[in-house]
């Protein structure tokens, strides 16, 4: 059976944190944690996973450091500590145990498993493409 998270491979537990507001930018637009991390040149989901692994106190300290250097939201200049504390409370507790693991599955002998259904569909598409290109004519004329 196909993985239900194939279209959204990111842990859903991170959404509450990533879509939380850090404040308004100079143009009056709400800036989310996701946008903040991306503007800082970080992968938001990877950074969130690392924050979860740090625990609440470590995450709060790391967020404070990140937010203190973010200049797009003027209110962060003086209030980044409180915002980092509030945002750290939105992180899931510990490693995301409720989410399915996002690593490649392995067979019992340690080799990576591949989805046979995907390969079968690709083979059928390839064969149909070849039939359409040749035109199904076997006489060669």
């Amino acid at each position: 059976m196909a993985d239900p998270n194939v279209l959204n491979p990111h842990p859903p537990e991170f959404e509450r944190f990533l879509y939380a507001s850090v404040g308004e930018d100079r143009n009056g637009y709400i800036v989310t944690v996701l946008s903040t991390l991306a503007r800082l040149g970080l992968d938001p989901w990877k950074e969130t996973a690392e924050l979860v692994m740090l625990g609440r106190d470590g995450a709060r300290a790391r967020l404070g450091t990140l937010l203190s250097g973010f200049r797009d939201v003027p209110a962060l200049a003086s209030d980044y500590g409180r915002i980092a504390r509030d945002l750290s409370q939105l992180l899931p507790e510990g490693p995301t145990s409720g989410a399915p693991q996002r690593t490649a599955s392995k067979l019992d002998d340690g080799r990576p498993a591949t989805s046979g259904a995907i390969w079968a569909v690709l083979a059928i598409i390839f064969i149909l493409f070849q039939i359409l290109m040749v035109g199904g004519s076997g006489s060669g004329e």
Side-chain angles (χ1 to χ4, degrees):
M1 187 169 151
D3 181 9
N5 296 311
V6 97
L7 297 178
N8 184 13
H10 305 296
E13 299 86 25
F14 292 176
E15 290 180 6
R16 199 173 107 191
F17 171 74
L18 286 171
Y19 296 113
S21 170
V22 296
E24 288 186 8
D25 65 9
R26 288 175 176 79
N27 297 322
Y29 294 107
I30 299 295
V31 179
T32 63
V33 174
L34 187 142
S35 178
T36 301
L37 295 173
R39 291 182 194 188
L40 289 170
L42 302 168
D43 179 313
W45 290 273
K46 182 180 175 190
E47 187 66 31
T48 302
E50 291 175 8
L51 290 170
V52 169
M53 296 304 286
L54 291 174
R56 293 264 188 247
D57 293 334
R60 182 177 38 241
R62 171 85 174 132
L63 275 170
T65 301
L66 292 171
L67 295 177
S68 69
F70 187 67
R71 302 290 178 223
D72 291 0
V73 176
L76 285 176
S78 62
D79 212 12
Y80 67 87
R82 182 192 59 80
I83 294 172
R85 183 190 70 234
D86 293 347
L87 290 173
S88 69
Q89 297 301 312
L90 298 176
L91 289 166
E93 286 288 331
T96 55
S97 58
Q101 294 297 319
R102 305 286 188 231
T103 58
S105 61
K106 296 192 181 253
L107 298 174
D108 289 340
D109 61 356
R111 292 181 295 135
T114 58
S115 175
I118 292 173
W119 290 111
V121 170
L122 289 174
I124 291 170
I125 291 171
F126 178 75
I127 291 169
L128 290 173
F129 180 76
Q130 290 297 317
I131 291 171
L132 290 173
M133 293 306 291
V134 173
S137 166
S139 65
E141 293 183 50

